[in-house]
């Protein structure tokens, strides 16, 4: 019986991939990805030449049954997302559920994820944390921020270039005294980390143009750096 491999890929630096991930990508019959342009950069770097099959939010209801049929017919497949660990604020969950429902064995190939990397360099408590990914953009956002202001564990959020300042302004409003760690462009050329309250970090942001991908970590209520 063919298998489905869920393979973690780099979150920036192409060298951050395990030997096992590369071996898996080289050994399967088909690589399932979100965007062929993104995945080809990685595959070209490692000289991996395999057919690609695209599953994304737009086509998944049609393509997931096709993928299941392929695996059932004996085709071993690896599933990758654009960056990091599939299913973590990324596609993967629906594919895994469909495979499990159809009795297909799912094997995880671990590797980078922005959430664990940022936590590991944060210096904040990691014995218990809550990962919220991207906050809702409109409906429910204020309510979620109010709930998070009461949260006693370390909080991890994802944010993009376009909304990072808005998010910091909101944290300043709802959690003014909390210590934050902001990690930008982890593993990439312009990697940078900020530590302090939202107000302190916003002051630094005013001095330059801040772009990139961000992990925002909020310390537990009573935590002092
Ligand atoms: N699956 C990915 C993972 O395992 O981390 C997450 C994909 S999610 C669509 C993209 C978001 O993850 C970005 O907007 C950012 O919040 C975070 N992220 C991904 N790569 C990052 C990096 N190199 N540095 C900082 N944050 C990153």
């Amino acid at each position: 019986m063919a298998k489905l491999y869920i393979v973690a890929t780099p979150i920036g630096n192409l060298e951050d991939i395990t030997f096992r991930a590369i071996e898996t990508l080289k050994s399967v019959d088909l690589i399932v990805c979100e965007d062929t342009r993104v995945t080809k950069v990685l595959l070209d770097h490692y000289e991996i030449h395999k057919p690609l099959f695209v599953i994304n939010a737009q086509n998944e209801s049609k393509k997931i049954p096709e993928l299941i049929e392929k695996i059932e017919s004996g085709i071993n497949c690896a599933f990758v997302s654009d960056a990091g660990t599939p299913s973590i604020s990324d596609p993967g969950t629906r594919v895994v559920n469909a495979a499990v429902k159809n009795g297909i064995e799912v094997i995880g190939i671990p590797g980078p994820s922005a959430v664990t990397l940022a936590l590991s360099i944060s210096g904040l408590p990691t014995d218990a944390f809550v990962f919220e990914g991207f906050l809702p953009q409109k409906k429910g956002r204020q309510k979620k921020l109010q709930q998070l202001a009461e949260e006693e564990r370390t909080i991890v959020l994802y944010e993009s270039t376009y909304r990072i300042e808005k998010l910091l302004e909101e944290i300043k409003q709802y959690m003014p005294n909390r210590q934050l760690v902001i990690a930008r462009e982890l593993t990439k050329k312009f990697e940078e980390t900020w530590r302090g309250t939202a107000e302190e970090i916003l002051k630094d942001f005013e001095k330059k143009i801040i772009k990139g991908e961000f992990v925002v970590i909020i310390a537990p209520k009573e935590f002092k750096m």
Side-chain angles (χ1 to χ4, degrees):
M1 179 78 167
K3 293 177 185 162
L4 173 66
Y5 296 87
I6 303 296
V7 182
T9 60
I11 57 167
N13 188 326
L14 289 181
E15 306 293 312
D16 294 330
I17 186 163
T18 67
F19 291 120
R20 192 162 162 241
I22 292 170
E23 281 312 310
T24 303
L25 293 173
K26 282 185 173 165
S27 71
V28 292
D29 307 300
L30 184 71
I31 297 174
V32 185
C33 63
E34 277 184 80
D35 182 336
T36 56
R37 288 164 304 180
V38 176
T39 298
K40 269 185 183 155
V41 174
L42 176 72
L43 298 182
D44 286 351
H45 186 79
Y46 288 101
E47 296 179 356
I48 298 170
H49 308 289
K50 292 285 166 175
L52 298 178
F53 184 80
V54 174
I55 295 188
N56 53 38
Q58 287 73 45
N59 70 9
E60 63 181 13
S61 54
K62 186 162 165 262
K63 292 291 174 180
I64 290 176
E66 278 182 38
L67 176 67
I68 298 300
E69 269 179 35
K70 284 180 194 294
I71 302 174
E72 284 175 337
S73 74
I75 296 175
N76 280 299
C77 292
F79 183 95
V80 298
S81 62
D82 280 354
T85 301
S87 310
I88 306 299
S89 294
D90 252 350
T93 308
R94 291 207 171 97
V95 171
V96 170
N97 282 336
V100 171
K101 264 189 204 145
N102 286 279
I104 292 165
E105 193 177 351
V106 179
I107 309 281
I109 310 292
S113 189
V115 49
T116 46
L117 179 55
L119 277 170
S120 74
I121 61 164
S122 70
L124 298 179
T126 55
D127 45 344
F129 65 87
V130 50
F131 174 60
E132 288 282 345
F134 294 98
L135 289 184
Q137 281 181 36
K138 289 197 177 95
K139 199 166 169 271
R141 190 177 175 95
Q142 304 308 317
K143 193 170 169 219
K144 178 59 80 179
L145 282 157
Q146 280 163 3
Q147 281 170 1
L148 291 179
E150 299 305 316
E151 174 58 60
E152 298 203 342
R153 294 165 290 182
T154 297
I155 302 164
V156 188
L157 305 175
Y158 278 173
E159 196 49 277
S160 68
T161 294
Y162 309 105
R163 285 181 295 272
I164 185 68
E165 290 196 41
K166 177 180 184 244
L167 177 62
L168 285 175
E169 290 289 356
E170 290 166 328
I171 295 172
K172 184 176 142 187
Q173 182 191 339
Y174 286 92
M175 300 168 245
N177 302 318
R178 294 283 188 97
Q179 290 296 312
L180 309 182
V181 176
I182 312 278
R184 172 176 79 132
E185 296 287 272
L186 288 164
T187 78
K188 301 187 204 175
K189 192 174 170 193
F190 297 107
E191 175 168 354
E192 201 168 358
T193 309
W194 290 263
R195 292 162 199 271
T197 62
E199 189 172 8
E200 287 163 349
I201 295 169
L202 275 165
K203 274 196 190 124
D204 199 59
F205 272 36
E206 280 165 15
K207 296 181 198 150
K208 49 196 168 190
I209 296 168
I210 309 280
K211 282 192 171 163
E213 296 191 285
F214 298 84
V215 182
V216 175
I217 310 190
I218 306 172
K221 252 182 172 176
E222 305 305 329
F223 183 83
K224 296 269 172 287
M225 286 277 196

